[in-house]
PDB file of all heavy atoms in Angstrom:
ATOM      1  N   VAL A  24     143.034 119.632 102.437  1.00 97.00           N
ATOM      2  CA  VAL A  24     143.641 120.491 103.460  1.00 97.00           C
ATOM      3  C   VAL A  24     142.823 120.560 104.739  1.00 97.00           C
ATOM      4  O   VAL A  24     143.321 120.993 105.777  1.00 97.00           O
ATOM      5  CB  VAL A  24     143.897 121.922 102.930  1.00 97.00           C
ATOM      6  CG1 VAL A  24     144.948 121.903 101.840  1.00 97.00           C
ATOM      7  CG2 VAL A  24     142.622 122.575 102.453  1.00 97.00           C
ATOM      8  N   GLU A  25     141.551 120.125 104.672  1.00 97.00           N
ATOM      9  CA  GLU A  25     140.724 120.136 105.878  1.00 97.00           C
ATOM     10  C   GLU A  25     139.627 119.095 105.736  1.00 97.00           C
ATOM     11  O   GLU A  25     138.998 118.983 104.686  1.00 97.00           O
ATOM     12  CB  GLU A  25     140.098 121.515 106.089  1.00 97.00           C
ATOM     13  CG  GLU A  25     139.288 121.620 107.369  1.00 97.00           C
ATOM     14  CD  GLU A  25     138.703 123.023 107.563  1.00 97.00           C
ATOM     15  OE1 GLU A  25     138.794 123.855 106.655  1.00 97.00           O
ATOM     16  OE2 GLU A  25     138.148 123.248 108.653  1.00 97.00           O
ATOM     17  N   VAL A  26     139.414 118.332 106.788  1.00 95.00           N
ATOM     18  CA  VAL A  26     138.348 117.341 106.823  1.00 95.00           C
ATOM     19  C   VAL A  26     137.516 117.601 108.070  1.00 95.00           C
ATOM     20  O   VAL A  26     138.044 117.619 109.181  1.00 95.00           O
ATOM     21  CB  VAL A  26     138.900 115.897 106.851  1.00 95.00           C
ATOM     22  CG1 VAL A  26     137.761 114.886 106.886  1.00 95.00           C
ATOM     23  CG2 VAL A  26     139.816 115.641 105.669  1.00 95.00           C
ATOM     24  N   GLN A  27     136.223 117.827 107.862  1.00 94.00           N
ATOM     25  CA  GLN A  27     135.295 117.987 108.970  1.00 94.00           C
ATOM     26  C   GLN A  27     134.319 116.823 108.911  1.00 94.00           C
ATOM     27  O   GLN A  27     134.393 115.986 108.017  1.00 94.00           O
ATOM     28  CB  GLN A  27     134.563 119.324 108.859  1.00 94.00           C
ATOM     29  CG  GLN A  27     135.473 120.518 108.922  1.00 94.00           C
ATOM     30  CD  GLN A  27     134.728 121.830 108.693  1.00 94.00           C
ATOM     31  OE1 GLN A  27     133.564 121.835 108.318  1.00 94.00           O
ATOM     32  NE2 GLN A  27     135.422 122.924 108.920  1.00 94.00           N
ATOM     33  N   LYS A  28     133.395 116.778 109.841  1.00 90.00           N
ATOM     34  CA  LYS A  28     132.465 115.655 109.894  1.00 90.00           C
ATOM     35  C   LYS A  28     131.722 115.462 108.572  1.00 90.00           C
ATOM     36  O   LYS A  28     131.611 114.350 108.076  1.00 90.00           O
ATOM     37  CB  LYS A  28     131.472 115.872 111.033  1.00 90.00           C
ATOM     38  CG  LYS A  28     130.572 114.696 111.266  1.00 90.00           C
ATOM     39  CD  LYS A  28     129.697 114.894 112.484  1.00 90.00           C
ATOM     40  CE  LYS A  28     128.852 113.661 112.736  1.00 90.00           C
ATOM     41  NZ  LYS A  28     128.066 113.802 113.961  1.00 90.00           N
ATOM     42  N   ARG A  29     131.226 116.545 107.994  1.00 94.00           N
ATOM     43  CA  ARG A  29     130.429 116.437 106.760  1.00 94.00           C
ATOM     44  C   ARG A  29     131.008 117.203 105.582  1.00 94.00           C
ATOM     45  O   ARG A  29     130.406 117.240 104.520  1.00 94.00           O
ATOM     46  CB  ARG A  29     129.010 116.938 107.026  1.00 94.00           C
ATOM     47  CG  ARG A  29     128.293 116.081 108.033  1.00 94.00           C
ATOM     48  CD  ARG A  29     126.880 116.524 108.209  1.00 94.00           C
ATOM     49  NE  ARG A  29     126.239 115.714 109.225  1.00 94.00           N
ATOM     50  CZ  ARG A  29     125.033 115.901 109.653  1.00 94.00           C
ATOM     51  NH1 ARG A  29     124.308 116.871 109.160  1.00 94.00           N
ATOM     52  NH2 ARG A  29     124.523 115.119 110.588  1.00 94.00           N
ATOM     53  N   ARG A  30     132.151 117.823 105.754  1.00 96.00           N
ATOM     54  CA  ARG A  30     132.747 118.654 104.703  1.00 96.00           C
ATOM     55  C   ARG A  30     134.216 118.303 104.508  1.00 96.00           C
ATOM     56  O   ARG A  30     134.893 117.858 105.421  1.00 96.00           O
ATOM     57  CB  ARG A  30     132.654 120.138 105.055  1.00 96.00           C
ATOM     58  CG  ARG A  30     131.257 120.629 105.215  1.00 96.00           C
ATOM     59  CD  ARG A  30     130.864 121.421 104.013  1.00 96.00           C
ATOM     60  NE  ARG A  30     129.475 121.861 104.122  1.00 96.00           N
ATOM     61  CZ  ARG A  30     128.638 121.826 103.115  1.00 96.00           C
ATOM     62  NH1 ARG A  30     129.015 121.384 101.952  1.00 96.00           N
ATOM     63  NH2 ARG A  30     127.400 122.238 103.262  1.00 96.00           N
ATOM     64  N   VAL A  31     134.673 118.548 103.275  1.00 97.00           N
ATOM     65  CA  VAL A  31     136.084 118.381 102.957  1.00 97.00           C
ATOM     66  C   VAL A  31     136.504 119.576 102.099  1.00 97.00           C
ATOM     67  O   VAL A  31     135.734 120.059 101.275  1.00 97.00           O
ATOM     68  CB  VAL A  31     136.346 117.038 102.236  1.00 97.00           C
ATOM     69  CG1 VAL A  31     135.610 116.953 100.903  1.00 97.00           C
ATOM     70  CG2 VAL A  31     137.833 116.820 102.026  1.00 97.00           C
ATOM     71  N   ARG A  32     137.727 120.073 102.341  1.00 97.00           N
ATOM     72  CA  ARG A  32     138.226 121.219 101.587  1.00 97.00           C
ATOM     73  C   ARG A  32     139.518 120.823 100.892  1.00 97.00           C
ATOM     74  O   ARG A  32     140.414 120.231 101.515  1.00 97.00           O
ATOM     75  CB  ARG A  32     138.463 122.410 102.511  1.00 97.00           C
ATOM     76  CG  ARG A  32     138.769 123.687 101.759  1.00 97.00           C
ATOM     77  CD  ARG A  32     138.661 124.907 102.658  1.00 97.00           C
ATOM     78  NE  ARG A  32     139.401 124.792 103.884  1.00 97.00           N
ATOM     79  CZ  ARG A  32     140.550 125.413 104.143  1.00 97.00           C
ATOM     80  NH1 ARG A  32     141.084 126.215 103.269  1.00 97.00           N
ATOM     81  NH2 ARG A  32     141.145 125.234 105.309  1.00 97.00           N
ATOM     82  N   LEU A  33     139.602 121.157  99.580  1.00 97.00           N
ATOM     83  CA  LEU A  33     140.776 120.847  98.774  1.00 97.00           C
ATOM     84  C   LEU A  33     141.359 122.118  98.189  1.00 97.00           C
ATOM     85  O   LEU A  33     140.613 123.002  97.758  1.00 97.00           O
ATOM     86  CB  LEU A  33     140.413 119.915  97.612  1.00 97.00           C
ATOM     87  CG  LEU A  33     140.214 118.443  97.918  1.00 97.00           C
ATOM     88  CD1 LEU A  33     138.881 118.176  98.557  1.00 97.00           C
ATOM     89  CD2 LEU A  33     140.356 117.639  96.652  1.00 97.00           C
ATOM     90  N   ASN A  34     142.693 122.188  98.157  1.00 97.00           N
ATOM     91  CA  ASN A  34     143.402 123.254  97.456  1.00 97.00           C
ATOM     92  C   ASN A  34     143.872 122.700  96.122  1.00 97.00           C
ATOM     93  O   ASN A  34     144.389 121.572  96.069  1.00 97.00           O
ATOM     94  CB  ASN A  34     144.614 123.739  98.253  1.00 97.00           C
ATOM     95  CG  ASN A  34     144.243 124.661  99.380  1.00 97.00           C
ATOM     96  OD1 ASN A  34     143.110 125.116  99.490  1.00 97.00           O
ATOM     97  ND2 ASN A  34     145.193 124.937 100.249  1.00 97.00           N
ATOM     98  N   PHE A  35     143.706 123.492  95.069  1.00 95.00           N
ATOM     99  CA  PHE A  35     144.117 123.083  93.730  1.00 95.00           C
ATOM    100  C   PHE A  35     145.242 123.980  93.222  1.00 95.00           C
ATOM    101  O   PHE A  35     145.293 125.166  93.560  1.00 95.00           O
ATOM    102  CB  PHE A  35     142.918 123.147  92.774  1.00 95.00           C
ATOM    103  CG  PHE A  35     141.875 122.110  93.057  1.00 95.00           C
ATOM    104  CD1 PHE A  35     140.798 122.404  93.885  1.00 95.00           C
ATOM    105  CD2 PHE A  35     141.961 120.844  92.510  1.00 95.00           C
ATOM    106  CE1 PHE A  35     139.828 121.446  94.152  1.00 95.00           C
ATOM    107  CE2 PHE A  35     141.002 119.887  92.779  1.00 95.00           C
ATOM    108  CZ  PHE A  35     139.932 120.182  93.594  1.00 95.00           C
ATOM    109  N   PRO A  36     146.135 123.442  92.372  1.00 88.00           N
ATOM    110  CA  PRO A  36     147.254 124.235  91.869  1.00 88.00           C
ATOM    111  C   PRO A  36     146.816 125.403  90.987  1.00 88.00           C
ATOM    112  O   PRO A  36     147.598 126.317  90.755  1.00 88.00           O
ATOM    113  CB  PRO A  36     148.102 123.231  91.085  1.00 88.00           C
ATOM    114  CG  PRO A  36     147.208 122.092  90.797  1.00 88.00           C
ATOM    115  CD  PRO A  36     146.180 122.073  91.888  1.00 88.00           C
ATOM    116  N   ALA A  37     145.585 125.398  90.536  1.00 82.00           N
ATOM    117  CA  ALA A  37     145.080 126.510  89.729  1.00 82.00           C
ATOM    118  C   ALA A  37     144.856 127.744  90.599  1.00 82.00           C
ATOM    119  O   ALA A  37     144.374 128.764  90.124  1.00 82.00           O
ATOM    120  CB  ALA A  37     143.780 126.106  89.028  1.00 82.00           C
ATOM    121  N   GLY A  38     145.188 127.626  91.894  1.00 89.00           N
ATOM    122  CA  GLY A  38     145.089 128.758  92.802  1.00 89.00           C
ATOM    123  C   GLY A  38     143.724 128.924  93.433  1.00 89.00           C
ATOM    124  O   GLY A  38     143.343 130.018  93.821  1.00 89.00           O
ATOM    125  N   CYS A  39     142.985 127.852  93.552  1.00 95.00           N
ATOM    126  CA  CYS A  39     141.660 127.957  94.160  1.00 95.00           C
ATOM    127  C   CYS A  39     141.443 126.851  95.181  1.00 95.00           C
ATOM    128  O   CYS A  39     142.151 125.859  95.210  1.00 95.00           O
ATOM    129  CB  CYS A  39     140.580 127.922  93.092  1.00 95.00           C
ATOM    130  SG  CYS A  39     140.526 126.387  92.175  1.00 95.00           S
TER     131      CYS A  39
END
Side-chain angles (χ1 to χ4, degrees):
V24 294
E25 183 179 8
V26 180
Q27 298 175 351
K28 187 174 183 176
R29 296 184 182 176
R30 299 256 177 222
V31 62
R32 189 166 51 105
L33 282 77
N34 282 350
F35 291 93
C39 63

